[in-house]
Amino acid sequence: MKNRRKEKLLSLCGDDKTQVLQLVDELVFLETQLEEIKKLPFYKVHPQIREKQKLLPAGKIYKELLQQYNACLKLFASITGIEMDDEETPLRKWVKEYANQKQKNMDAG
């Protein structure tokens, strides 16, 4: 699976793969680590008081690795020219509409 994922990522790089080879290796490694950590419990819940919860080391590690993975993925996207924000979120759409309406009101009045 690792080799297929690596080849898939490298195929997105075009002709010059030397720039991103180490980054692709890092991405594949992080993906593997994240999948393994997902198998572990992230929280410990108090047996009598369900609202009392404690974050376990696996939860902390997962969060840190996910942040590192996202940073590597953004770097990979910028190097390869892949656009990450293809879809407009509902919040962005609302903000654009709100800003446009404000602008129209300012122009009219």
Side-chain angles (χ1 to χ4, degrees):
M1 183 185 136
K2 285 185 199 180
N3 288 335
R4 277 190 274 149
R5 179 65 175 154
K6 183 176 179 178
E7 289 303 317
K8 185 176 181 180
L9 290 171
L10 286 173
S11 71
L12 299 172
C13 300
D15 295 332
D16 189 13
K17 295 172 177 38
T18 57
Q19 288 181 334
V20 294
L21 191 57
Q22 186 174 355
L23 182 59
V24 167
D25 286 338
E26 188 70 18
L27 282 167
V28 172
F29 171 77
L30 289 170
E31 287 174 354
T32 305
Q33 293 300 308
L34 287 167
E35 286 300 316
E36 288 300 313
I37 292 172
K38 277 184 188 178
K39 298 174 185 175
L40 302 172
F42 287 14
Y43 296 95
K44 181 178 181 180
V45 180
H46 192 279
Q48 283 84 30
I49 308 168
R50 306 278 307 154
E51 293 80 22
K52 273 190 156 182
Q53 300 178 5
K54 180 181 179 182
L55 183 63
L56 295 175
K60 293 176 184 177
I61 293 169
Y62 184 83
K63 180 182 173 186
E64 291 171 6
L65 285 178
L66 188 59
Q67 289 173 339
Q68 184 179 358
Y69 176 74
N70 285 332
C72 288
L73 201 56
K74 286 180 183 178
L75 179 59
F76 178 79
S78 69
I79 289 172
T80 57
I82 297 171
E83 184 65 39
M84 300 240 344
D85 290 331
D86 291 342
E87 188 177 315
E88 187 175 40
T89 65
L91 178 60
R92 285 185 181 161
K93 186 176 180 180
W94 179 84
V95 168
K96 277 185 181 179
E97 289 173 4
Y98 182 77
N100 287 340
Q101 188 63 37
K102 280 285 211 186
Q103 186 64 39
K104 287 178 185 176
N105 290 342
M106 290 175 70
D107 290 343

